[in-house]
Amino acid sequence: MARPKNTAEAVASTRDSLLDEAQRLFEEGGADAMSFRAIAERAGCSHTKLYSYFDSKADLTDALRLRSYEMLSEELSATRDRHDDPVGVLGALLETYVRFGLDRPQLYGLLYSGAGELGEGESPLLEAKVEALSVARDALAAAVECGAISIDVDPLTAAHVFWSGAHGLVHLALGGFLVVERSLDDLLPALVRVLMDGISSTPATVDQGER
């Protein structure tokens, strides 16, 4: 009797399980630890089986990068959905982004290690990146629409500004550079205030006290 073919659902489930093992290895030891043989050993199968689901290690890495963007997007969306304050959610989104980077440094680094490969055309990786940024863009647009804030730039530009600030803070924290009398907890709320003032059409009030 012929062996029944795997259904699309079964194939997707097996691929996800293999990617789970790849992710664990990657977070434990980076790209070098994520070999097909190591994944197969964790999964209890032949390493040749992985080639039925991933063409190469580069293909596997792209799949893990896509998953990382999706994980970030899900965490940002969950943060947005928990907040009713149209201004407060902006700070919460920035904190969620920073915490993602600090809690999952290997995956965070993977988000940017192949950024040039996303290209300009359609691709799942590019769509996932756009989706993650869209959470911040839509939150900024909603805050403007309800009159909670007024900004000098469009929401997408503002989202890029927030993204740049958050990425810089993650980079400094992961690199161990926050050693000059300021902690991450000191800088996060200050960064939100500075970014909000920077994009606001209302000039910030400058303290004219002692210099």
Side-chain angles (χ1 to χ4, degrees):
M1 180 180 296
R3 183 186 305 173
K5 293 183 178 180
N6 287 334
T7 64
E9 183 178 348
V11 170
S13 177
T14 301
R15 189 176 188 275
D16 282 344
S17 295
L18 293 171
L19 195 56
D20 287 342
E21 299 299 344
Q23 180 182 329
R24 293 187 187 99
L25 286 164
F26 185 81
E27 293 200 76
E28 290 169 9
D32 290 341
M34 191 181 65
S35 68
F36 275 27
R37 289 189 181 278
I39 296 168
E41 183 177 346
R42 289 279 189 100
C45 65
S46 167
H47 77 277
T48 58
K49 180 179 179 179
L50 271 74
Y51 287 97
S52 299
Y53 299 91
F54 304 100
D55 294 337
S56 62
K57 187 172 180 179
D59 184 39
L60 172 64
T61 301
D62 278 345
L64 186 55
R65 185 179 295 115
L66 173 59
R67 173 183 277 196
S68 300
Y69 273 117
E70 291 172 343
M71 290 169 61
L72 174 60
S73 183
E74 287 172 4
E75 291 196 18
L76 291 172
S77 296
T79 295
R80 176 199 59 203
D81 295 343
R82 286 195 301 268
H83 287 76
D84 295 326
D85 179 2
V87 176
V89 70
L90 299 175
L93 287 172
L94 188 146
E95 181 171 1
T96 295
Y97 181 96
V98 171
R99 296 298 179 189
F100 180 91
L102 298 184
D103 292 344
R104 296 182 175 275
Q106 293 281 14
L107 295 183
Y108 184 81
L110 185 61
L111 297 179
Y112 297 98
S113 66
E117 299 170 14
L118 295 180
E120 297 297 332
E122 293 183 6
S123 77
L125 282 172
L126 181 57
E127 290 174 7
K129 182 177 180 180
V130 170
E131 177 62 28
L133 185 60
S134 293
V135 179
R137 178 201 63 195
D138 294 346
L140 283 157
V144 170
E145 185 175 354
C146 74
I149 62 172
S150 179
I151 59 179
D152 275 337
V153 295
D154 63 274
L156 182 57
T157 299
H160 276 82
V161 171
F162 268 74
W163 177 22
S164 299
H167 179 63
L169 190 53
V170 173
H171 180 73
L172 289 173
L174 290 179
F177 297 111
L178 299 183
V179 294
V180 189
E181 299 182 2
R182 290 296 180 272
S183 69
L184 181 70
D185 290 336
D186 295 326
L187 295 174
L188 259 175
L191 179 61
V192 174
R193 290 195 300 272
V194 169
L195 290 174
M196 289 300 299
D197 285 348
I199 64 173
S200 176
S201 58
T202 303
T205 300
V206 179
D207 185 358
Q208 297 295 327
E210 292 185 11
R211 296 181 181 274

